[in-house]
PDB file of all heavy atoms in Angstrom:
ATOM      1  N   ARG A   1       0.824  -1.181  -0.006  1.00 98.00           N
ATOM      2  CA  ARG A   1       0.014  -0.077  -0.006  1.00 98.00           C
ATOM      3  C   ARG A   1       0.888   1.269  -0.019  1.00 98.00           C
ATOM      4  O   ARG A   1       0.616   2.264  -0.627  1.00 98.00           O
ATOM      5  CB  ARG A   1      -0.955   0.010   1.174  1.00 98.00           C
ATOM      6  CG  ARG A   1      -1.834   1.257   1.201  1.00 98.00           C
ATOM      7  CD  ARG A   1      -3.031   0.899   2.288  1.00 98.00           C
ATOM      8  NE  ARG A   1      -2.606   0.853   3.533  1.00 98.00           N
ATOM      9  CZ  ARG A   1      -2.522  -0.313   4.273  1.00 98.00           C
ATOM     10  NH1 ARG A   1      -3.055  -1.460   3.705  1.00 98.00           N
ATOM     11  NH2 ARG A   1      -2.196  -0.493   5.456  1.00 98.00           N
ATOM     12  N   ILE A   2       1.900   1.215   0.848  1.00 98.00           N
ATOM     13  CA  ILE A   2       2.884   2.334   0.731  1.00 98.00           C
ATOM     14  C   ILE A   2       3.443   2.568  -0.657  1.00 98.00           C
ATOM     15  O   ILE A   2       3.615   3.627  -1.105  1.00 98.00           O
ATOM     16  CB  ILE A   2       3.937   2.165   1.800  1.00 98.00           C
ATOM     17  CG1 ILE A   2       3.426   2.075   3.132  1.00 98.00           C
ATOM     18  CG2 ILE A   2       5.108   2.953   1.674  1.00 98.00           C
ATOM     19  CD1 ILE A   2       4.470   1.653   4.296  1.00 98.00           C
ATOM     20  N   ARG A   3       3.732   1.445  -1.343  1.00 98.00           N
ATOM     21  CA  ARG A   3       4.345   1.550  -2.661  1.00 98.00           C
ATOM     22  C   ARG A   3       3.243   2.190  -3.633  1.00 98.00           C
ATOM     23  O   ARG A   3       3.555   3.036  -4.428  1.00 98.00           O
ATOM     24  CB  ARG A   3       4.743   0.215  -3.232  1.00 98.00           C
ATOM     25  CG  ARG A   3       6.029  -0.281  -2.769  1.00 98.00           C
ATOM     26  CD  ARG A   3       6.285  -1.823  -2.972  1.00 98.00           C
ATOM     27  NE  ARG A   3       5.905  -2.100  -4.371  1.00 98.00           N
ATOM     28  CZ  ARG A   3       6.814  -2.062  -5.355  1.00 98.00           C
ATOM     29  NH1 ARG A   3       8.081  -1.664  -5.104  1.00 98.00           N
ATOM     30  NH2 ARG A   3       6.542  -2.442  -6.570  1.00 98.00           N
ATOM     31  N   ARG A   4       2.053   1.761  -3.492  1.00 98.00           N
ATOM     32  CA  ARG A   4       0.976   2.214  -4.422  1.00 98.00           C
ATOM     33  C   ARG A   4       0.722   3.715  -4.139  1.00 98.00           C
ATOM     34  O   ARG A   4       0.385   4.392  -5.140  1.00 98.00           O
ATOM     35  CB  ARG A   4      -0.303   1.355  -4.195  1.00 98.00           C
ATOM     36  CG  ARG A   4      -1.496   1.691  -5.005  1.00 98.00           C
ATOM     37  CD  ARG A   4      -2.490   0.639  -4.918  1.00 98.00           C
ATOM     38  NE  ARG A   4      -3.094   0.789  -3.678  1.00 98.00           N
ATOM     39  CZ  ARG A   4      -2.947  -0.230  -2.819  1.00 98.00           C
ATOM     40  NH1 ARG A   4      -2.243  -1.316  -3.000  1.00 98.00           N
ATOM     41  NH2 ARG A   4      -3.473  -0.117  -1.515  1.00 98.00           N
ATOM     42  N   ASP A   5       0.772   4.207  -2.810  1.00 98.00           N
ATOM     43  CA  ASP A   5       0.409   5.554  -2.555  1.00 98.00           C
ATOM     44  C   ASP A   5       1.521   6.455  -2.687  1.00 98.00           C
ATOM     45  O   ASP A   5       1.192   7.735  -2.599  1.00 98.00           O
ATOM     46  CB  ASP A   5      -0.052   5.504  -1.032  1.00 98.00           C
ATOM     47  CG  ASP A   5      -1.383   4.753  -0.851  1.00 98.00           C
ATOM     48  OD1 ASP A   5      -2.047   4.487  -1.944  1.00 98.00           O
ATOM     49  OD2 ASP A   5      -1.700   4.456   0.298  1.00 98.00           O
ATOM     50  N   ASN A   6       2.666   6.138  -2.987  1.00 98.00           N
ATOM     51  CA  ASN A   6       3.871   7.065  -2.963  1.00 98.00           C
ATOM     52  C   ASN A   6       4.576   6.929  -4.264  1.00 98.00           C
ATOM     53  O   ASN A   6       5.449   5.918  -4.512  1.00 98.00           O
ATOM     54  CB  ASN A   6       4.704   6.800  -1.873  1.00 98.00           C
ATOM     55  CG  ASN A   6       4.172   7.211  -0.453  1.00 98.00           C
ATOM     56  OD1 ASN A   6       4.149   8.283  -0.107  1.00 98.00           O
ATOM     57  ND2 ASN A   6       3.584   6.254   0.166  1.00 98.00           N
ATOM     58  N   PRO A   7       4.384   7.844  -5.265  1.00 98.00           N
ATOM     59  CA  PRO A   7       5.059   7.869  -6.521  1.00 98.00           C
ATOM     60  C   PRO A   7       6.564   7.751  -6.577  1.00 98.00           C
ATOM     61  O   PRO A   7       7.168   7.298  -7.427  1.00 98.00           O
ATOM     62  CB  PRO A   7       4.657   9.234  -7.200  1.00 98.00           C
ATOM     63  CG  PRO A   7       3.330   9.580  -6.449  1.00 98.00           C
ATOM     64  CD  PRO A   7       3.502   9.085  -5.045  1.00 98.00           C
ATOM     65  N   ALA A   8       7.261   8.187  -5.424  1.00 98.00           N
ATOM     66  CA  ALA A   8       8.738   8.241  -5.256  1.00 98.00           C
ATOM     67  C   ALA A   8       9.143   6.800  -5.349  1.00 98.00           C
ATOM     68  O   ALA A   8      10.431   6.494  -5.900  1.00 98.00           O
ATOM     69  CB  ALA A   8       9.062   8.749  -3.919  1.00 98.00           C
ATOM     70  N   LEU A   9       8.396   5.904  -4.918  1.00 98.00           N
ATOM     71  CA  LEU A   9       8.746   4.457  -4.872  1.00 98.00           C
ATOM     72  C   LEU A   9       8.533   3.756  -6.273  1.00 98.00           C
ATOM     73  O   LEU A   9       8.809   2.560  -6.393  1.00 98.00           O
ATOM     74  CB  LEU A   9       8.212   3.588  -3.741  1.00 98.00           C
ATOM     75  CG  LEU A   9       8.572   4.090  -2.366  1.00 98.00           C
ATOM     76  CD1 LEU A   9       7.720   3.321  -1.318  1.00 98.00           C
ATOM     77  CD2 LEU A   9       9.968   3.961  -2.047  1.00 98.00           C
ATOM     78  N   GLN A  10       7.938   4.371  -7.108  1.00 98.00           N
ATOM     79  CA  GLN A  10       7.612   3.746  -8.428  1.00 98.00           C
ATOM     80  C   GLN A  10       8.433   3.965  -9.681  1.00 98.00           C
ATOM     81  O   GLN A  10       8.157   3.719 -10.737  1.00 98.00           O
ATOM     82  CB  GLN A  10       6.214   4.233  -8.820  1.00 98.00           C
ATOM     83  CG  GLN A  10       5.146   3.969  -7.849  1.00 98.00           C
ATOM     84  CD  GLN A  10       3.758   4.641  -7.937  1.00 98.00           C
ATOM     85  OE1 GLN A  10       3.417   5.195  -9.064  1.00 98.00           O
ATOM     86  NE2 GLN A  10       2.889   4.706  -6.798  1.00 98.00           N
ATOM     87  N   SER A  11       9.647   4.399  -9.227  1.00 98.00           N
ATOM     88  CA  SER A  11      10.827   4.496 -10.276  1.00 98.00           C
ATOM     89  C   SER A  11      12.056   4.325  -9.442  1.00 98.00           C
ATOM     90  O   SER A  11      12.148   4.406  -8.296  1.00 98.00           O
ATOM     91  CB  SER A  11      10.737   5.849 -11.027  1.00 98.00           C
ATOM     92  OG  SER A  11      10.861   6.853 -10.235  1.00 98.00           O
ATOM     93  N   ASN A  12      13.171   4.221 -10.249  1.00 98.00           N
ATOM     94  CA  ASN A  12      14.538   4.112  -9.608  1.00 98.00           C
ATOM     95  C   ASN A  12      15.552   5.171  -9.786  1.00 98.00           C
ATOM     96  O   ASN A  12      16.559   5.012  -9.105  1.00 98.00           O
ATOM     97  CB  ASN A  12      15.043   2.609 -10.156  1.00 98.00           C
ATOM     98  CG  ASN A  12      14.254   1.457  -9.745  1.00 98.00           C
ATOM     99  OD1 ASN A  12      13.607   1.411  -8.777  1.00 98.00           O
ATOM    100  ND2 ASN A  12      14.034   0.548 -10.798  1.00 98.00           N
ATOM    101  N   ASP A  13      15.365   6.009 -10.713  1.00 95.00           N
ATOM    102  CA  ASP A  13      16.404   6.847 -11.052  1.00 95.00           C
ATOM    103  C   ASP A  13      16.711   7.815  -9.984  1.00 95.00           C
ATOM    104  O   ASP A  13      17.745   8.483 -10.002  1.00 95.00           O
ATOM    105  CB  ASP A  13      16.151   7.637 -12.441  1.00 95.00           C
ATOM    106  CG  ASP A  13      14.726   8.275 -12.340  1.00 95.00           C
ATOM    107  OD1 ASP A  13      13.907   8.196 -11.395  1.00 95.00           O
ATOM    108  OD2 ASP A  13      14.465   9.024 -13.411  1.00 95.00           O
ATOM    109  N   SER A  14      15.931   8.152  -9.024  1.00 97.00           N
ATOM    110  CA  SER A  14      16.171   9.065  -7.925  1.00 97.00           C
ATOM    111  C   SER A  14      16.792   8.468  -6.835  1.00 97.00           C
ATOM    112  O   SER A  14      17.066   9.229  -5.848  1.00 97.00           O
ATOM    113  CB  SER A  14      14.859   9.876  -7.580  1.00 97.00           C
ATOM    114  OG  SER A  14      13.926   9.023  -6.921  1.00 97.00           O
ATOM    115  N   LEU A  15      17.076   7.223  -6.752  1.00 98.00           N
ATOM    116  CA  LEU A  15      17.698   6.574  -5.695  1.00 98.00           C
ATOM    117  C   LEU A  15      18.990   7.138  -5.099  1.00 98.00           C
ATOM    118  O   LEU A  15      19.912   7.248  -5.908  1.00 98.00           O
ATOM    119  CB  LEU A  15      17.774   5.148  -5.841  1.00 98.00           C
ATOM    120  CG  LEU A  15      18.342   4.254  -4.724  1.00 98.00           C
ATOM    121  CD1 LEU A  15      17.460   4.223  -3.554  1.00 98.00           C
ATOM    122  CD2 LEU A  15      18.610   2.679  -5.234  1.00 98.00           C
ATOM    123  N   ARG A  16      19.048   7.400  -3.829  1.00 98.00           N
ATOM    124  CA  ARG A  16      20.359   7.975  -3.283  1.00 98.00           C
ATOM    125  C   ARG A  16      20.453   7.356  -1.849  1.00 98.00           C
ATOM    126  O   ARG A  16      19.534   7.281  -1.093  1.00 98.00           O
ATOM    127  CB  ARG A  16      20.213   9.527  -3.180  1.00 98.00           C
ATOM    128  CG  ARG A  16      20.184  10.279  -4.488  1.00 98.00           C
ATOM    129  CD  ARG A  16      21.500  10.084  -5.476  1.00 98.00           C
ATOM    130  NE  ARG A  16      21.346  10.869  -6.652  1.00 98.00           N
ATOM    131  CZ  ARG A  16      20.778  10.463  -7.704  1.00 98.00           C
ATOM    132  NH1 ARG A  16      20.117   9.197  -7.749  1.00 98.00           N
ATOM    133  NH2 ARG A  16      20.768  11.289  -8.763  1.00 98.00           N
ATOM    134  N   PHE A  17      21.747   7.063  -1.626  1.00 98.00           N
ATOM    135  CA  PHE A  17      22.062   6.525  -0.292  1.00 98.00           C
ATOM    136  C   PHE A  17      22.647   7.662   0.620  1.00 98.00           C
ATOM    137  O   PHE A  17      23.330   8.470   0.029  1.00 98.00           O
ATOM    138  CB  PHE A  17      23.009   5.308  -0.450  1.00 98.00           C
ATOM    139  CG  PHE A  17      22.404   4.093  -1.082  1.00 98.00           C
ATOM    140  CD1 PHE A  17      22.379   3.900  -2.425  1.00 98.00           C
ATOM    141  CD2 PHE A  17      21.853   3.094  -0.249  1.00 98.00           C
ATOM    142  CE1 PHE A  17      21.816   2.867  -3.010  1.00 98.00           C
ATOM    143  CE2 PHE A  17      21.309   1.921  -0.875  1.00 98.00           C
ATOM    144  CZ  PHE A  17      21.299   1.875  -2.210  1.00 98.00           C
ATOM    145  N   PHE A  18      22.447   7.541   1.927  1.00 98.00           N
ATOM    146  CA  PHE A  18      22.989   8.452   2.893  1.00 98.00           C
ATOM    147  C   PHE A  18      23.837   7.749   3.961  1.00 98.00           C
ATOM    148  O   PHE A  18      23.398   6.602   4.335  1.00 98.00           O
ATOM    149  CB  PHE A  18      21.810   9.218   3.573  1.00 98.00           C
ATOM    150  CG  PHE A  18      21.071   9.960   2.378  1.00 98.00           C
ATOM    151  CD1 PHE A  18      19.796   9.498   2.089  1.00 98.00           C
ATOM    152  CD2 PHE A  18      21.485  11.106   1.847  1.00 98.00           C
ATOM    153  CE1 PHE A  18      19.067  10.181   1.156  1.00 98.00           C
ATOM    154  CE2 PHE A  18      20.724  11.851   0.947  1.00 98.00           C
ATOM    155  CZ  PHE A  18      19.505  11.294   0.621  1.00 98.00           C
ATOM    156  N   PRO A  19      24.875   8.383   4.462  1.00 97.00           N
ATOM    157  CA  PRO A  19      25.731   7.731   5.419  1.00 97.00           C
ATOM    158  C   PRO A  19      25.090   7.586   6.868  1.00 97.00           C
ATOM    159  O   PRO A  19      24.341   8.509   7.168  1.00 97.00           O
ATOM    160  CB  PRO A  19      27.002   8.607   5.465  1.00 97.00           C
ATOM    161  CG  PRO A  19      26.400   9.936   5.001  1.00 97.00           C
ATOM    162  CD  PRO A  19      25.304   9.650   3.873  1.00 97.00           C
ATOM    163  N   THR A  20      25.407   6.590   7.500  1.00 98.00           N
ATOM    164  CA  THR A  20      25.104   6.446   8.933  1.00 98.00           C
ATOM    165  C   THR A  20      26.490   5.974   9.510  1.00 98.00           C
ATOM    166  O   THR A  20      27.445   5.549   9.002  1.00 98.00           O
ATOM    167  CB  THR A  20      24.115   5.327   9.196  1.00 98.00           C
ATOM    168  OG1 THR A  20      24.594   4.104   8.848  1.00 98.00           O
ATOM    169  CG2 THR A  20      22.767   5.662   8.330  1.00 98.00           C
ATOM    170  N   ASP A  21      26.565   6.146  10.926  1.00 97.00           N
ATOM    171  CA  ASP A  21      27.740   5.821  11.601  1.00 97.00           C
ATOM    172  C   ASP A  21      27.723   4.338  12.062  1.00 97.00           C
ATOM    173  O   ASP A  21      28.609   3.989  12.967  1.00 97.00           O
ATOM    174  CB  ASP A  21      28.092   6.796  12.713  1.00 97.00           C
ATOM    175  CG  ASP A  21      26.909   6.830  13.784  1.00 97.00           C
ATOM    176  OD1 ASP A  21      25.937   6.140  13.621  1.00 97.00           O
ATOM    177  OD2 ASP A  21      27.140   7.658  14.689  1.00 97.00           O
ATOM    178  N   ASN A  22      26.771   3.623  11.659  1.00 98.00           N
ATOM    179  CA  ASN A  22      26.637   2.233  12.058  1.00 98.00           C
ATOM    180  C   ASN A  22      26.408   1.382  10.718  1.00 98.00           C
ATOM    181  O   ASN A  22      25.537   1.492   9.924  1.00 98.00           O
ATOM    182  CB  ASN A  22      25.346   2.015  12.947  1.00 98.00           C
ATOM    183  CG  ASN A  22      25.240   0.652  13.535  1.00 98.00           C
ATOM    184  OD1 ASN A  22      25.712  -0.368  12.966  1.00 98.00           O
ATOM    185  ND2 ASN A  22      24.526   0.541  14.546  1.00 98.00           N
ATOM    186  N   GLU A  23      27.322   0.490  10.593  1.00 98.00           N
ATOM    187  CA  GLU A  23      27.347  -0.536   9.265  1.00 98.00           C
ATOM    188  C   GLU A  23      26.093  -1.264   9.286  1.00 98.00           C
ATOM    189  O   GLU A  23      25.646  -1.726   8.198  1.00 98.00           O
ATOM    190  CB  GLU A  23      28.570  -1.279   9.270  1.00 98.00           C
ATOM    191  CG  GLU A  23      29.905  -0.559   8.950  1.00 98.00           C
ATOM    192  CD  GLU A  23      29.951  -0.178   7.408  1.00 98.00           C
ATOM    193  OE1 GLU A  23      29.357  -0.864   6.622  1.00 98.00           O
ATOM    194  OE2 GLU A  23      30.356   0.898   7.188  1.00 98.00           O
ATOM    195  N   GLN A  24      25.339  -1.467  10.365  1.00 98.00           N
ATOM    196  CA  GLN A  24      24.364  -2.237  10.291  1.00 98.00           C
ATOM    197  C   GLN A  24      22.906  -1.499  10.072  1.00 98.00           C
ATOM    198  O   GLN A  24      21.838  -2.143   9.785  1.00 98.00           O
ATOM    199  CB  GLN A  24      23.929  -2.956  11.723  1.00 98.00           C
ATOM    200  CG  GLN A  24      25.143  -3.926  12.119  1.00 98.00           C
ATOM    201  CD  GLN A  24      25.068  -5.122  11.223  1.00 98.00           C
ATOM    202  OE1 GLN A  24      23.989  -5.623  10.653  1.00 98.00           O
ATOM    203  NE2 GLN A  24      26.280  -5.725  11.063  1.00 98.00           N
ATOM    204  N   LEU A  25      23.106  -0.223   9.737  1.00 98.00           N
ATOM    205  CA  LEU A  25      21.989   0.551   9.379  1.00 98.00           C
ATOM    206  C   LEU A  25      22.263   1.067   7.918  1.00 98.00           C
ATOM    207  O   LEU A  25      23.295   1.578   7.623  1.00 98.00           O
ATOM    208  CB  LEU A  25      21.755   1.858  10.284  1.00 98.00           C
ATOM    209  CG  LEU A  25      21.476   1.528  11.731  1.00 98.00           C
ATOM    210  CD1 LEU A  25      21.353   2.823  12.478  1.00 98.00           C
ATOM    211  CD2 LEU A  25      20.035   0.848  11.771  1.00 98.00           C
ATOM    212  N   ILE A  26      21.290   0.869   7.026  1.00 98.00           N
ATOM    213  CA  ILE A  26      21.304   1.305   5.713  1.00 98.00           C
ATOM    214  C   ILE A  26      20.199   2.331   5.442  1.00 98.00           C
ATOM    215  O   ILE A  26      19.128   2.056   5.927  1.00 98.00           O
ATOM    216  CB  ILE A  26      21.276   0.123   4.652  1.00 98.00           C
ATOM    217  CG1 ILE A  26      21.447   0.672   3.238  1.00 98.00           C
ATOM    218  CG2 ILE A  26      19.968  -0.592   4.636  1.00 98.00           C
ATOM    219  CD1 ILE A  26      21.686  -0.337   2.127  1.00 98.00           C
ATOM    220  N   ALA A  27      20.608   3.449   4.859  1.00 98.00           N
ATOM    221  CA  ALA A  27      19.702   4.516   4.612  1.00 98.00           C
ATOM    222  C   ALA A  27      19.610   5.059   3.201  1.00 98.00           C
ATOM    223  O   ALA A  27      20.595   5.161   2.673  1.00 98.00           O
ATOM    224  CB  ALA A  27      19.837   5.764   5.612  1.00 98.00           C
ATOM    225  N   TYR A  28      18.504   5.264   2.660  1.00 98.00           N
ATOM    226  CA  TYR A  28      18.366   5.715   1.225  1.00 98.00           C
ATOM    227  C   TYR A  28      17.030   6.407   1.046  1.00 98.00           C
ATOM    228  O   TYR A  28      16.024   6.231   1.804  1.00 98.00           O
ATOM    229  CB  TYR A  28      18.540   4.489   0.191  1.00 98.00           C
ATOM    230  CG  TYR A  28      17.689   3.333   0.595  1.00 98.00           C
ATOM    231  CD1 TYR A  28      16.313   3.224  -0.011  1.00 98.00           C
ATOM    232  CD2 TYR A  28      18.126   2.296   1.437  1.00 98.00           C
ATOM    233  CE1 TYR A  28      15.558   2.015   0.254  1.00 98.00           C
ATOM    234  CE2 TYR A  28      17.309   1.186   1.600  1.00 98.00           C
ATOM    235  CZ  TYR A  28      16.047   1.072   1.139  1.00 98.00           C
ATOM    236  OH  TYR A  28      15.266   0.052   1.371  1.00 98.00           O
ATOM    237  N   ALA A  29      16.932   7.153  -0.008  1.00 98.00           N
ATOM    238  CA  ALA A  29      15.680   7.827  -0.166  1.00 98.00           C
ATOM    239  C   ALA A  29      15.377   7.886  -1.830  1.00 98.00           C
ATOM    240  O   ALA A  29      16.304   7.707  -2.617  1.00 98.00           O
ATOM    241  CB  ALA A  29      15.923   9.326   0.277  1.00 98.00           C
ATOM    242  N   LYS A  30      14.150   8.064  -2.081  1.00 98.00           N
ATOM    243  CA  LYS A  30      13.777   8.266  -3.388  1.00 98.00           C
ATOM    244  C   LYS A  30      12.808   9.532  -3.451  1.00 98.00           C
ATOM    245  O   LYS A  30      11.981   9.697  -2.466  1.00 98.00           O
ATOM    246  CB  LYS A  30      12.879   7.105  -3.970  1.00 98.00           C
ATOM    247  CG  LYS A  30      13.802   5.911  -4.298  1.00 98.00           C
ATOM    248  CD  LYS A  30      12.940   4.736  -4.918  1.00 98.00           C
ATOM    249  CE  LYS A  30      13.878   3.619  -5.297  1.00 98.00           C
ATOM    250  NZ  LYS A  30      13.139   2.521  -5.983  1.00 98.00           N
ATOM    251  N   ARG A  31      12.676  10.198  -4.562  1.00 97.00           N
ATOM    252  CA  ARG A  31      11.971  11.441  -4.722  1.00 97.00           C
ATOM    253  C   ARG A  31      11.248  11.323  -6.122  1.00 97.00           C
ATOM    254  O   ARG A  31      11.822  11.054  -7.055  1.00 97.00           O
ATOM    255  CB  ARG A  31      12.902  12.714  -4.676  1.00 97.00           C
ATOM    256  CG  ARG A  31      12.265  13.859  -4.706  1.00 97.00           C
ATOM    257  CD  ARG A  31      13.341  15.072  -4.582  1.00 97.00           C
ATOM    258  NE  ARG A  31      12.665  16.351  -4.688  1.00 97.00           N
ATOM    259  CZ  ARG A  31      13.330  17.471  -4.744  1.00 97.00           C
ATOM    260  NH1 ARG A  31      14.724  17.473  -4.908  1.00 97.00           N
ATOM    261  NH2 ARG A  31      12.769  18.642  -4.831  1.00 97.00           N
ATOM    262  N   SER A  32       9.964  11.755  -6.007  1.00 97.00           N
ATOM    263  CA  SER A  32       8.997  11.730  -7.236  1.00 97.00           C
ATOM    264  C   SER A  32       9.543  12.730  -8.310  1.00 97.00           C
ATOM    265  O   SER A  32      10.297  13.719  -7.847  1.00 97.00           O
ATOM    266  CB  SER A  32       7.644  11.931  -6.849  1.00 97.00           C
ATOM    267  OG  SER A  32       7.553  13.327  -6.359  1.00 97.00           O
ATOM    268  N   ALA A  33       9.297  12.709  -9.438  1.00 94.00           N
ATOM    269  CA  ALA A  33       9.703  13.546 -10.497  1.00 94.00           C
ATOM    270  C   ALA A  33       9.392  14.998 -10.237  1.00 94.00           C
ATOM    271  O   ALA A  33      10.064  15.853 -10.618  1.00 94.00           O
ATOM    272  CB  ALA A  33       9.168  13.007 -11.861  1.00 94.00           C
ATOM    273  N   ASP A  34       8.132  15.174  -9.684  1.00 94.00           N
ATOM    274  CA  ASP A  34       7.778  16.553  -9.396  1.00 94.00           C
ATOM    275  C   ASP A  34       8.193  17.052  -8.021  1.00 94.00           C
ATOM    276  O   ASP A  34       8.136  18.219  -7.745  1.00 94.00           O
ATOM    277  CB  ASP A  34       6.224  16.769  -9.354  1.00 94.00           C
ATOM    278  CG  ASP A  34       5.646  15.848  -8.401  1.00 94.00           C
ATOM    279  OD1 ASP A  34       6.317  15.164  -7.523  1.00 94.00           O
ATOM    280  OD2 ASP A  34       4.406  15.687  -8.404  1.00 94.00           O
ATOM    281  N   GLY A  35       9.036  16.282  -7.328  1.00 94.00           N
ATOM    282  CA  GLY A  35       9.653  16.630  -6.060  1.00 94.00           C
ATOM    283  C   GLY A  35       8.800  16.734  -4.889  1.00 94.00           C
ATOM    284  O   GLY A  35       9.287  17.018  -3.792  1.00 94.00           O
ATOM    285  N   ASP A  36       7.482  16.481  -5.013  1.00 95.00           N
ATOM    286  CA  ASP A  36       6.447  16.437  -3.948  1.00 95.00           C
ATOM    287  C   ASP A  36       6.410  15.345  -3.058  1.00 95.00           C
ATOM    288  O   ASP A  36       5.886  15.544  -1.878  1.00 95.00           O
ATOM    289  CB  ASP A  36       5.006  16.851  -4.563  1.00 95.00           C
ATOM    290  CG  ASP A  36       4.879  18.101  -5.181  1.00 95.00           C
ATOM    291  OD1 ASP A  36       5.788  18.946  -4.889  1.00 95.00           O
ATOM    292  OD2 ASP A  36       3.987  18.419  -6.001  1.00 95.00           O
ATOM    293  N   ASN A  37       6.923  14.328  -3.514  1.00 97.00           N
ATOM    294  CA  ASN A  37       6.904  12.990  -2.778  1.00 97.00           C
ATOM    295  C   ASN A  37       8.200  12.525  -2.441  1.00 97.00           C
ATOM    296  O   ASN A  37       9.014  12.204  -3.364  1.00 97.00           O
ATOM    297  CB  ASN A  37       5.933  11.835  -3.336  1.00 97.00           C
ATOM    298  CG  ASN A  37       5.710  10.692  -2.546  1.00 97.00           C
ATOM    299  OD1 ASN A  37       6.046   9.659  -2.928  1.00 97.00           O
ATOM    300  ND2 ASN A  37       5.175  10.907  -1.433  1.00 97.00           N
ATOM    301  N   VAL A  38       8.617  12.489  -1.090  1.00 97.00           N
ATOM    302  CA  VAL A  38      10.004  12.062  -0.744  1.00 97.00           C
ATOM    303  C   VAL A  38       9.850  10.977   0.327  1.00 97.00           C
ATOM    304  O   VAL A  38       9.211  11.093   1.190  1.00 97.00           O
ATOM    305  CB  VAL A  38      10.823  13.183  -0.168  1.00 97.00           C
ATOM    306  CG1 VAL A  38      12.209  12.693   0.240  1.00 97.00           C
ATOM    307  CG2 VAL A  38      10.889  14.282  -1.138  1.00 97.00           C
ATOM    308  N   ILE A  39      10.477   9.783  -0.043  1.00 98.00           N
ATOM    309  CA  ILE A  39      10.360   8.540   0.888  1.00 98.00           C
ATOM    310  C   ILE A  39      11.923   8.308   1.210  1.00 98.00           C
ATOM    311  O   ILE A  39      12.727   8.032   0.491  1.00 98.00           O
ATOM    312  CB  ILE A  39       9.745   7.307   0.258  1.00 98.00           C
ATOM    313  CG1 ILE A  39       8.239   7.719  -0.206  1.00 98.00           C
ATOM    314  CG2 ILE A  39       9.943   6.100   1.127  1.00 98.00           C
ATOM    315  CD1 ILE A  39       7.362   7.846   1.005  1.00 98.00           C
ATOM    316  N   LEU A  40      12.092   8.223   2.623  1.00 98.00           N
ATOM    317  CA  LEU A  40      13.313   7.936   3.267  1.00 98.00           C
ATOM    318  C   LEU A  40      13.138   6.563   3.846  1.00 98.00           C
ATOM    319  O   LEU A  40      12.294   6.424   4.685  1.00 98.00           O
ATOM    320  CB  LEU A  40      13.739   8.966   4.129  1.00 98.00           C
ATOM    321  CG  LEU A  40      15.064   8.794   5.009  1.00 98.00           C
ATOM    322  CD1 LEU A  40      16.329   8.482   4.171  1.00 98.00           C
ATOM    323  CD2 LEU A  40      15.264   9.616   6.150  1.00 98.00           C
ATOM    324  N   THR A  41      14.024   5.481   3.574  1.00 98.00           N
ATOM    325  CA  THR A  41      13.918   4.285   4.344  1.00 98.00           C
ATOM    326  C   THR A  41      15.232   4.035   4.935  1.00 98.00           C
ATOM    327  O   THR A  41      16.319   4.264   4.457  1.00 98.00           O
ATOM    328  CB  THR A  41      13.718   3.159   3.081  1.00 98.00           C
ATOM    329  OG1 THR A  41      12.643   3.456   2.382  1.00 98.00           O
ATOM    330  CG2 THR A  41      13.623   1.674   3.760  1.00 98.00           C
TER     331      THR A  41
END
């Protein structure tokens, strides 16, 4: 349902990873083409 409701997750070209100070935590985000929808995982 989250995927269906958030256009940011419906493509791959905006995928960006962000640093954390713990190797066991992975963080990344996607942003919709219009910039209005941003999902950070």
Side-chain angles (χ1 to χ4, degrees):
R1 185 165 61 250
I2 291 169
R3 283 167 50 85
R4 186 174 61 249
D5 293 344
N6 290 277
L9 297 176
Q10 297 172 15
S11 61
N12 296 324
D13 53 356
S14 66
L15 177 65
R16 295 294 184 275
F17 290 87
F18 300 103
T20 69
D21 61 0
N22 183 339
E23 285 291 322
Q24 295 297 330
L25 296 178
I26 185 170
Y28 50 91
K30 288 184 174 183
R31 187 179 179 189
S32 62
D34 60 11
D36 289 342
N37 185 236
V38 182
I39 298 295
L40 169 68
T41 304

